[in-house]
Amino acid sequence: MRTGDYKQSYGELVTLIDSPPVWLWSTVLVLALVVAPYVLNAYALSFLTIILITVVGALGLNILTGYTGLISLGHVGFLLTGAYGYAVLVSKYQLPPLVGFLGAGLVPAAASLIVGAPSLRLKGLYLAITTLAFSFIINTVILEMRWLTNGARGIAVQRPEIFGVSFESDAAFTHLCLATAILTLFATLNIRRSRVGRAFVAIRDNDTAARVMGINLHAYKLLAFVTSAFITGIAGALYGIYLSFVNVEGFPFLLSIEALAILIVGGLGSALGAVLGTVLIVLLPEATRLVFSLFSAQMDAMFTTGAQELKSMLYGLVIILFLRFQPRGLVGVWHDLKRTWVNWPLRY
Amino acid sequence: MQYFLQLLISGLAIGAIYGLIAMGFAVIYKSTGLVNFAQGEMTMIVAYIAWTVSTTGSGNILVVSLAAILAAVSLGLVIERVVMRPMLGEPVFATVMVTIGLAVILRSSINFIWDAYPHGLDIGVGRGIVRVGGIGVRTGQIAVIATLLLLLAAIWAFFRYSKTGVAMRAVAADDRTALLMGISATRVHALAWAASSVIAGIGGVFFALSYDLSPAMFQLGLKAFPATILGGLDAVLGSGIGGLLIGLTENFAGGYIGSGMKEVAGFAMIIVVLMIRPFGLFGERDIERV
């Protein structure tokens, strides 16, 4: 009888995937996602694309908030600088899209150095405050630098063509997002199981102990912040391409809250959680709309007029309820389910 | 010189509003140890309630201010009891996130309870213009500066002399010891939320008197944030003074450098303050650099 899941060596503790069934199901899922764009209709496909882009951003924030335990209220600022980094390089200076994506990562990373260096020396909520300030300052900066960013008019962005492969069609663009999401997922999982990732988690769990073990707190916090900004910037570039237009209006402050809601709902500090949280949060407003429209047409009308407000209310409610009743998030639920499944009918 | 004085007066007036809201931040931080990201939204709700009372009733100034204070007290108490108290003992990360969630909910509720259009709060006072030394000053602007100074004095006396004030300081300094001395921490927390809501709400009502009510009013909270960082997160009086300084900085930056600078000046100030004096001008020096 199987009595549990035992690890016998350190190598087993850090393997990416520890059992053959998980390998199998992950492969099936990826194949299904590759086929999906040809099967789904345009409406469902747009949700899939949004989910994949959001996964990239959520994984980026997860490195900072989930692994290192620092709150950022201004990640929308990095999305925005990433989108502008791409748009300026590719649309304005006609550079190849791959250079654009690199720029989309490097520009926010540079911005995060400026914001992070002074605020990460301190313990506590200071990063939340400075990032909040940053996300407002950056809006003004972009609006003022008209020679580079066209100010409030924004920049139009074409779908890219990389190595002769055109990502013009919706299906192809979804594949691009899928590839980026999978790459990011592997990158964050590998960061988590390396020395750097363990240092991040040590800082989150007990910073004094981490310091005693020889971790340079300032350097590692800054590293987490910069990595997080880099990945978020890539997500911003994808989002800009998806919108086919980059301006300040396209990146409201609500996106920062949405990202935090994703991490809390999914389960902090877990890549799987970030993915599950993204799926739930992206589909939540739509699902709520469907449920309410069953009751009355009036409710449905309310959703179309006050869509943005209802969305924010839902995010706020979900954040509070999950923190109150299921602080471990969807990943916690999943682990409990797994344990019950393995041990049934015994309790443990 | 004329221009300078004009900027000075309007800077002090808006700074007094920031100061009131910043004091709201500081009262909660001092007694519960958490940053309340929903402060701006609470301010906005109180101002909207005052507006509703003024339009449905006779608009008598006494009735409106009494109703606003009552509304603010109950708002603070309800939030503390329903949302914050269940989170007692949870990590700071979780409680702060709860206030962020609360902020988003309150912010969007404005559009459902009231509407998205700007309104003027008109109770017959505050929009008249008095000439002081050759420049026109609104009576509302004078009133808000006076109110801030009065409240500063009152709060100083409250924390210094009253038994409840001392109890609040005790909980802030060391909640376990305070508990052992027979002080109920939950009562102190409830009181702090109510007081913070009232102080910030007064700021909101004054803002509505001089300017307009709109769903974007929650940004006052963001503007007041630099004030409380500058004054010191745990310094109630310092935050009030920080508000005046931020108001002046903002107005002078906007008046002499450019209107874009007006929006950013406060936030740029935060970053400078955190680099040089992270505990603020009047805060306690217990910053941990781990």
Side-chain angles (χ1 to χ4, degrees):
Chain A
M1 192 178 102
R2 190 177 163 192
T3 54
D5 199 7
Y6 300 111
K7 306 273 191 274
Q8 290 171 345
S9 69
Y10 285 114
E12 283 175 44
L13 276 174
V14 294
T15 45
L16 269 183
I17 293 172
D18 56 1
S19 72
V22 179
W23 263 116
L24 179 70
W25 289 116
S26 312
T27 323
V28 170
L29 178 66
V30 170
L31 285 178
L33 284 174
V34 170
V35 180
Y38 304 111
V39 186
L40 295 175
N41 62 13
Y43 188 61
L45 186 60
S46 73
F47 274 106
L48 179 60
T49 317
I50 286 286
I51 286 177
L52 289 171
I53 297 174
T54 317
V55 160
V56 178
L59 286 170
L61 183 63
N62 188 40
I63 291 184
L64 184 74
T65 306
Y67 292 165
T68 324
L70 300 163
I71 304 183
S72 162
L73 286 177
H75 252 54
V76 68
F78 299 125
L79 276 180
L80 187 63
T81 38
Y84 265 100
Y86 181 87
V88 167
L89 288 175
V90 175
S91 296
K92 208 153 178 150
Y93 295 112
Q94 260 76 46
L95 290 168
L98 277 182
V99 179
F101 278 116
L102 190 65
L106 289 179
V107 175
S112 72
L113 265 182
I114 300 171
V115 181
S119 36
L120 284 171
R121 280 162 56 229
L122 309 167
K123 194 182 168 175
L125 288 168
Y126 289 94
L127 189 70
I129 299 163
T130 38
T131 46
L132 182 68
F134 165 74
S135 70
F136 285 91
I137 293 179
I138 198 70
N139 272 1
T140 314
V141 170
I142 284 174
L143 289 177
E144 293 289 314
M145 287 168 68
R146 282 185 204 90
W147 52 275
L148 190 67
T149 60
N150 292 354
R153 277 190 296 136
I155 304 175
V157 186
Q158 302 290 321
R159 297 264 168 103
E161 190 187 310
I162 301 172
F163 296 133
V165 183
S166 167
F167 292 99
E168 181 63 44
S169 73
D170 282 349
F173 182 64
T174 308
H175 283 148
L176 179 66
C177 296
L178 178 64
T180 322
I182 291 175
L183 267 178
T184 319
L185 187 61
F186 270 107
T188 50
L189 283 174
N190 278 322
I191 289 175
R192 172 65 185 86
R193 67 202 189 108
S194 67
R195 183 195 145 81
V196 178
R198 287 195 295 275
F200 289 166
V201 174
I203 293 174
R204 177 192 69 189
D205 290 344
N206 190 331
D207 45 6
T208 317
R211 180 69 178 267
V212 170
M213 287 194 283
I215 294 167
N216 182 343
L217 291 185
H218 187 213
Y220 273 97
K221 281 185 192 171
L222 203 55
L223 181 63
F225 193 40
V226 172
T227 318
S228 166
F230 186 95
I231 296 175
T232 312
I234 302 280
L238 286 177
Y239 192 52
I241 299 171
Y242 173 75
L243 295 175
S244 75
F245 194 74
V246 176
N247 73 347
V248 177
E249 306 278 300
F251 295 80
F253 179 67
L254 183 64
L255 290 179
S256 289
I257 306 293
E258 185 183 342
L260 285 170
I262 285 173
L263 293 191
I264 287 169
V265 166
L268 276 169
S270 140
L272 175 66
V275 176
L276 291 178
T278 308
V279 175
L280 187 94
I281 288 286
V282 173
L283 296 181
L284 183 68
E286 187 62 19
T288 326
R289 194 180 71 84
L290 280 179
V291 170
F292 273 95
S293 64
L294 291 181
F295 290 113
S296 71
Q298 199 191 351
M299 286 285 204
D300 199 30
M302 203 168 87
F303 264 89
T304 40
T305 50
Q308 197 73 6
E309 281 71 34
L310 270 174
K311 235 177 163 175
S312 354
M313 279 186 127
L314 275 176
Y315 294 158
L317 260 178
V318 159
I319 289 180
I320 294 182
L321 291 179
F322 262 86
L323 281 173
R324 175 91 176 77
F325 296 108
Q326 186 54 259
R328 289 187 305 146
L330 290 174
V331 164
V333 176
W334 172 240
H335 279 301
D336 289 348
L337 271 178
K338 248 187 351 191
R339 203 171 46 232
T340 317
W341 176 260
V342 170
N343 294 334
W344 196 86
L346 300 172
R347 207 52 194 283
Y348 43 82
Chain B
M1 192 60 194
Q2 189 86 352
Y3 186 53
F4 175 80
L5 279 179
Q6 197 76 54
L7 287 178
L8 182 79
I9 295 288
S10 57
L12 281 177
I14 189 76
I17 293 174
Y18 294 161
L20 287 169
I21 300 169
M23 278 156 72
F25 276 116
V27 166
I28 288 184
Y29 186 84
K30 197 165 168 58
S31 45
T32 66
L34 63 96
V35 180
N36 172 24
F37 280 95
Q39 196 76 48
E41 283 74 6
M42 287 163 65
T43 309
M44 173 164 73
I45 300 253
V46 172
Y48 264 90
I49 293 176
W51 174 71
T52 311
V53 172
S54 79
T55 47
T56 48
S58 59
N60 185 317
I61 180 164
L62 271 178
V63 174
V64 173
S65 30
L66 205 67
I69 289 177
L70 274 180
V73 169
S74 23
L75 180 71
L77 287 180
V78 166
I79 289 177
E80 198 276 337
R81 187 66 194 87
V82 178
V83 188
M84 299 317 295
R85 196 172 301 171
M87 299 302 293
L88 209 65
E90 298 283 324
V92 178
F93 177 88
T95 22
V96 167
M97 282 308 303
V98 165
T99 67
I100 294 173
L102 181 68
V104 201
I105 293 178
L106 291 182
R107 190 183 302 170
S108 25
S109 70
I110 289 288
N111 271 306
F112 292 110
I113 305 176
W114 291 279
D115 51 33
Y117 305 104
H119 299 284
L121 175 63
D122 188 10
I123 48 174
V125 291
R127 302 223 170 182
I129 288 177
V130 189
R131 297 206 74 81
V132 182
I135 50 166
V137 186
R138 282 184 179 180
T139 47
Q141 295 183 319
I142 301 175
V144 68
I145 299 174
T147 310
L148 176 74
L149 295 178
L150 266 178
L151 265 176
L152 281 177
I155 285 173
W156 176 80
F158 171 74
F159 278 120
R160 181 82 178 72
Y161 296 111
S162 84
K163 204 172 167 187
T164 327
V166 175
M168 286 177 84
R169 269 166 48 207
V171 171
D174 187 340
D175 51 353
R176 263 183 225 178
T177 314
L179 216 58
L180 289 174
M181 308 291 265
I183 300 170
S184 157
T186 45
R187 274 213 356 236
V188 166
H189 285 189
L191 185 64
W193 275 87
S196 153
S197 169
V198 170
I199 299 171
I202 293 174
V205 171
F206 270 112
F207 182 84
L209 271 181
S210 315
Y211 307 92
D212 270 334
L213 283 167
S214 77
M217 221 179 112
F218 70 88
Q219 290 179 352
L220 273 181
L222 299 176
K223 291 291 196 66
F225 224 111
T228 181
I229 298 291
L230 178 65
L233 256 175
D234 57 347
V236 180
L237 303 184
S239 297
I241 296 163
L244 291 177
L245 292 176
I246 290 287
L248 287 177
T249 319
E250 223 187 70
N251 244 25
F252 286 130
Y256 289 113
I257 305 175
S259 62
M261 273 313 286
K262 186 170 179 172
E263 300 298 313
V264 236
F267 293 123
M269 196 99 152
I270 286 191
I271 294 181
V272 175
V273 171
L274 287 186
M275 272 196 263
I276 301 169
R277 213 182 145 85
F279 38 88
L281 292 178
F282 307 95
E284 268 174 58
R285 190 188 277 268
D286 66 339
I287 294 295
E288 281 183 73
R289 263 195 208 90
V290 203

